[in-house]
Amino acid sequence: MWFAHYLRLGEFVALSGNTLWAVAVSVGLALPIFIVSGLYRAIFRYSGWPALLAVARAVSIYGLLFASIFTAIGVTGVPRTVGLIQPILLLLFVGASRALARVWLGDQYLNILKRATRPKVLIYGAGSTGRQLVAAMANSYEMQVVGFLDDDDRLHGHILNGQPIYNPADLPTLATTLTISDVLLAMPSLNRKRRNEILTQIRTARVAVRTLPSVTDLAQGKVSISDLRELDIDDLLGREPVMPNHLLLAMNIRDKVVMVTGAGGSIGSELCRQILSVEPEKLLLIEQSEFALYSIHQELEARLAGRVVLVPLLASVQDEERMCEIMSTWHPDTVYHAAAYKHVPLVEHNPAEGIKNNVLGTFRAARAAAENGISDFVLISTDKAVRPTNIMGASKRLAEMVLQAFAATSPGTRFSMVRFGNVLGSSGSVVPKFRQQIREGGPITLTHPEITRYFMTIPEASQLVIQAGAMAKGGDVFVLDMGQPVRIIDLARRMIELSGLTLKDEHHPHGDIEIELTGLRPGEKLYEELLIGDSPKPTSHPQIMKAHEDFIPWEKLEDKLKALEIALNVNDVSVIRLMMKELVIEYVSNDEIVDWVYMEQEAEAQTLGLGA
């Protein structure tokens, strides 16, 4: 009432006489109405619009009665307009007090403070995808969008959806002045070359980079915050994948029975995904790890479309009887042999098991394929088979030689092998390991500053394996064009910078992540090669070449394999290494034996000798 008089008269006056009686009437009307309306029973800290509407209804009833007395009828000494102004003020003050209770007691102020401290981000790309992303992040508690970056200089300085558009060249300055933590790439259809140029530009700004999936993955036209993810592995690779030849992809798969060994591994599982998309009649999943088989089977069933039949089979490729049983039951048209032990240090420490799985497993699976009239048998090989310095590489080269020998004696089955380098994102890849080490604050562990590897993404490698197998004539050694080799230390630095962090070294002692050199592991090479010879032949596919590699004829190789198997069964490591060097003449290793069992037995023998 006091404030209503001020608004009417333009000055504050003392409440006395009829004005004071007006206050008493106001309280006398309001309290019963508010009690009946339940305003004093409501818990406003948890209330929303319904409670505020209840306040509005109660004050409206009060206002109607109050205005009837002091505006319609009139009371001497009380301006008539006060009868209208006072209920309006009462509504504002009562409503505001309840809203304040809700904000303060309901902890909404904490949410307000939390939203104010959100990391600030810029969206690179002011197109439709960028606009959708801004809309999706409007109520996000994770990030706060403070503007766009766009290459179109006509847009710079303009406002889009309430957000300013900046020049990407100003990003280093903006990162400091606006305290930017992340840049979100909202350009899913951008080609790889331009994407790499943008990433190089962003690296200087010390901000983390997140990206959206490809335009194919966003085909539904809706963008959400959950679509944001760390940079794709192929963004780190920096090369443009070649689109597959769909005729070659379908040749050995569509409407056929296809079998994949090692189906739960990195390469094997991706092969299964690619094969499933081409729609075979049946897909046989061969895996000795129960959990790995369960995982890939569940995943493929979830994405199953059409009439494809999935058959998960627990089996070891070393069990020839089981291999024959499976092949004679389903008569697969094509076998992709991905089952192998591929981790170099582990195989070096367990050489007999590595050779049994990689060589004898391949030999038995291939013999079962030949006996059961399988049309195509494709071995997944590795660049480590070229002039190997470790047991894993030597065993894979010997597996290749087994197939080459089989191809010369078993014309009914086309045996071929596909050799390629490291795949990014596999179970043994450095990329997941480096990411985890960066999350933990470092250091990134690297064996040698000059270590260099060829890289390819798993989907691209798997597609090329399928296409190469379709071109096989028998005994072919296919080599995938892996592009330019990558220095691992450069990959590590790139990952650090694109995480918004800095490298810590002698020149930058206050950096964030340090690279720690641990030394080469047993059998590890600085450089990998894809060819033993120097004269690869081109094929109809631009990324697949055919190598000519010498091999031992089956008549000689068979006896040597039998002798090797005897040595493997008794785990005579020194004899095994000598036989591997004899069979794979390019195999060069140091004289140190690091087999765990052998080293433990040697240690025990020395202890007993000293005791005696």
Side-chain angles (χ1 to χ4, degrees):
M1 281 292 294
W2 184 55
F3 194 48
H5 275 77
Y6 167 76
L7 292 177
R8 169 63 180 84
L9 302 174
E11 61 181 351
F12 288 107
V13 296
L15 298 177
S16 60
N18 287 343
T19 304
L20 197 57
W21 277 107
V23 172
V25 171
S26 173
V27 174
L29 287 174
L31 284 177
I33 292 171
F34 285 7
I35 290 170
V36 171
S37 299
L39 298 192
Y40 301 124
R41 296 194 304 271
I43 303 174
F44 278 88
R45 75 169 68 187
Y46 303 121
S47 61
W49 281 111
L52 292 178
L53 289 174
V55 170
R57 282 194 299 270
V59 174
S60 297
I61 296 169
Y62 160 83
L64 185 62
L65 296 174
F66 189 81
S68 299
I69 298 170
F70 292 97
T71 301
I73 299 172
V75 175
T76 305
V78 179
R80 290 178 182 269
T81 51
V82 168
L84 299 174
I85 296 172
Q86 195 269 354
I88 294 173
L89 293 177
L90 186 65
L91 174 63
L92 293 176
F93 279 91
V94 172
S97 66
R98 268 57 176 183
L100 180 63
R102 181 170 185 265
V103 170
W104 185 258
L105 299 175
D107 292 340
Q108 283 198 4
Y109 74 99
L110 293 177
N111 292 333
I112 294 169
L113 293 174
K114 186 177 179 181
R115 288 171 71 90
T117 57
R118 289 174 298 172
K120 295 180 175 65
V121 301
L122 291 170
I123 294 178
Y124 204 121
S128 61
T129 304
R131 294 195 298 273
Q132 289 182 56
L133 188 55
V134 169
M137 297 178 67
N139 298 312
S140 170
Y141 288 100
E142 300 173 21
M143 301 177 193
Q144 177 185 358
V145 179
V146 294
F148 289 98
L149 297 170
D150 201 276
D151 297 324
D152 190 345
D153 53 9
R154 295 171 299 178
L155 300 176
H156 299 161
H158 290 267
I159 304 293
L160 177 64
N161 287 7
Q163 302 294 346
I165 303 175
Y166 299 106
N167 186 341
D170 298 332
L171 179 58
T173 305
L174 293 169
T176 304
T177 56
L178 299 178
T179 60
I180 302 299
S181 64
D182 293 74
V183 170
L184 313 179
L185 293 184
M187 297 176 294
S189 59
L190 206 64
N191 64 54
R192 181 70 59 214
K193 180 181 177 183
R194 179 61 189 139
R195 199 177 182 87
N196 290 331
E197 290 172 357
I198 290 171
L199 290 176
T200 302
Q201 185 180 18
I202 293 174
R203 285 169 66 184
T204 61
R206 288 191 60 187
V207 294
V209 183
R210 297 196 196 183
T211 186
L212 287 167
S214 68
V215 72
T216 306
D217 297 331
L218 296 174
Q220 293 180 342
K222 295 181 180 178
V223 177
S224 66
I225 301 174
S226 61
D227 291 323
L228 286 169
R229 61 192 185 193
E230 294 182 62
L231 281 175
D232 288 340
I233 290 172
D234 45 354
D235 285 320
L236 300 170
L237 185 61
R239 56 191 284 269
E240 193 80 50
V242 174
M243 292 303 293
N245 181 326
H246 293 283
L247 291 175
L248 289 175
L249 276 179
M251 190 176 294
N252 286 351
I253 294 175
R254 191 178 298 280
D255 298 326
K256 295 187 176 183
V257 180
V258 181
M259 173 173 156
V260 178
T261 68
S266 302
I267 296 295
S269 61
E270 184 60 35
L271 272 171
C272 291
R273 295 182 194 103
Q274 299 291 339
I275 290 167
L276 191 67
S277 67
V278 186
E279 296 186 353
E281 180 187 334
K282 287 189 180 74
L283 178 55
L284 311 180
L285 312 173
I286 311 300
E287 177 59 60
Q288 66 174 346
S289 165
E290 180 190 30
F291 177 73
L293 181 61
Y294 171 79
S295 299
I296 187 60
H297 181 233
Q298 291 296 305
E299 179 190 334
L300 295 179
E301 274 204 325
R303 62 171 71 187
L304 199 59
R307 55 183 180 79
V308 182
V309 177
L310 293 176
V311 185
L313 296 159
L314 281 169
S316 167
V317 292
Q318 297 182 55
D319 186 347
E320 189 170 354
E321 187 176 335
R322 175 68 167 158
M323 289 292 101
C324 284
E325 179 184 53
I326 291 170
M327 292 183 191
S328 63
T329 301
W330 280 279
H331 302 288
D333 299 284
T334 307
V335 174
Y336 293 98
H337 182 56
Y341 290 147
K342 304 183 181 76
H343 198 275
V344 169
L346 279 179
V347 174
E348 203 69 15
H349 287 299
N350 303 272
E353 292 304 309
I355 295 169
K356 283 179 185 178
N357 199 51
N358 294 356
V359 178
L360 299 184
T362 300
F363 162 59
R364 288 164 183 161
R367 186 162 62 182
E371 291 175 356
N372 286 278
I374 307 303
S375 299
D376 290 273
F377 187 99
V378 183
L379 168 68
I380 314 302
S381 191
T382 171
D383 57 355
K384 294 174 179 61
V386 178
R387 282 181 270 275
T389 59
N390 50 66
I391 290 291
M392 196 283 278
S395 67
K396 292 298 284 185
R397 175 61 193 136
L398 186 52
E400 290 181 356
M401 293 167 66
V402 168
L403 288 198
Q404 287 176 287
F406 262 134
T409 57
S410 304
T413 300
R414 284 187 295 269
F415 290 100
S416 61
M417 52 232 79
V418 185
R419 187 188 292 163
F420 56 90
N422 295 43
V423 286
L424 287 163
S426 69
S427 57
S429 172
V430 295
V431 173
K433 174 185 169 187
F434 285 177
R435 270 197 181 136
Q436 183 63 31
Q437 290 174 335
I438 289 172
R439 285 192 202 103
E440 293 171 354
I444 285 180
T445 53
L446 186 65
T447 57
H448 195 282
E450 296 302 320
I451 199 161
T452 304
R453 292 290 182 266
Y454 289 96
F455 282 108
M456 182 175 282
T457 63
I458 300 178
E460 187 180 9
S462 301
Q463 289 174 355
L464 289 172
V465 164
I466 295 170
Q467 293 170 87
M471 294 189 287
K473 305 297 181 187
D476 313 85
V477 179
F478 292 106
V479 179
L480 304 187
D481 179 5
M482 305 287 292
Q484 295 299 314
V486 177
R487 284 207 323 162
I488 305 299
I489 196 168
D490 293 337
L491 180 65
R493 286 172 179 154
R494 187 175 173 88
M495 291 183 67
I496 291 170
E497 291 167 351
L498 291 174
S499 298
L501 304 171
T502 56
L503 177 66
K504 181 180 180 181
D505 56 18
E506 55 188 16
H507 303 295
H508 306 91
H510 301 294
D512 301 305
I513 304 291
E514 186 177 6
I515 295 178
E516 182 180 294
L517 300 176
T518 59
L520 288 173
R521 297 172 297 181
E524 191 170 29
K525 293 168 71 173
L526 281 180
Y527 306 96
E528 299 290 1
E529 305 166 87
L530 289 166
L531 293 168
I532 296 175
D534 297 316
S535 55
K537 295 179 181 179
T539 66
S540 58
H541 195 288
Q543 274 192 292
I544 301 173
M545 299 172 291
K546 189 185 291 187
H548 175 74
E549 310 286 26
D550 295 327
F551 64 95
I552 301 171
W554 180 246
E555 302 79 43
K556 295 181 180 178
L557 183 61
E558 185 177 18
D559 292 335
K560 292 179 181 293
L561 285 177
K562 289 178 181 177
L564 176 62
E565 186 173 0
I566 293 170
L568 290 170
N569 289 335
V570 297
N571 196 32
D572 192 332
V573 184
S574 56
V575 172
I576 290 169
R577 284 161 61 91
L578 289 172
M579 294 188 72
M580 290 299 292
K581 288 179 180 179
E582 181 187 349
L583 288 164
V584 183
I585 57 174
E586 303 91 2
Y587 173 39
V588 177
S589 69
N590 56 37
D591 294 327
E592 184 183 4
I593 296 175
V594 293
D595 174 71
W596 292 123
V597 175
Y598 175 86
M599 290 191 295
E600 186 66 22
Q601 290 173 346
E602 285 289 299
E604 287 182 5
Q606 288 181 4
T607 303
L608 291 173
L610 290 172

